[in-house]
Amino acid sequence: MTEGSITRAADRLGMTQPAVSNVVSRMRTVWKDPVFVKRGRQVEPTSYALSLWDQVRSPLFELSSAVNSSRFDPRESRRIRQ
């Protein structure tokens, strides 16, 4: 959704371009929607994909932030046990 390109998405995900293409193909089958359509050298989401993105964008970013947060160091914690 954010890259506009299967190849750039694959690079960002650490996957091969064919692997990402296969995932998109499976999404098309499951959701019975093209999901992305080619516009020149870019891909654009369908209205259905945009609708899904509206629902999952926030939870995905929250999950990403949680996973990429710094490691917990109890010596630096200012939390008081009650």
Side-chain angles (χ1 to χ4, degrees):
M1 289 298 288
T2 59
E3 297 302 322
S5 160
I6 298 293
T7 302
R8 282 195 306 270
D11 288 342
R12 185 171 177 187
L13 294 167
M15 298 171 67
T16 64
Q17 184 273 330
V20 173
S21 291
N22 286 335
V23 170
V24 172
S25 178
R26 281 181 274 170
M27 291 178 351
R28 288 178 171 137
T29 300
V30 169
W31 292 324
K32 298 175 179 62
D33 185 84
V35 187
F36 296 101
V37 291
K38 205 165 169 89
R39 297 272 189 253
R41 298 186 65 117
Q42 300 273 53
V43 291
E44 293 182 358
T46 63
S47 58
Y48 182 75
L50 288 171
S51 173
L52 287 173
W53 183 241
D54 284 342
Q55 296 174 54
V56 302
R57 176 183 2 193
S58 181
L60 282 176
F61 284 129
E62 289 174 18
L63 180 59
S64 178
S65 294
V67 170
N68 293 324
S69 67
S70 59
R71 297 186 60 86
F72 175 71
D73 184 350
R75 294 173 296 181
E76 295 178 10
S77 176
R78 302 294 171 240
R79 187 173 175 189
I80 298 171
R81 187 172 163 189
Q82 294 182 7

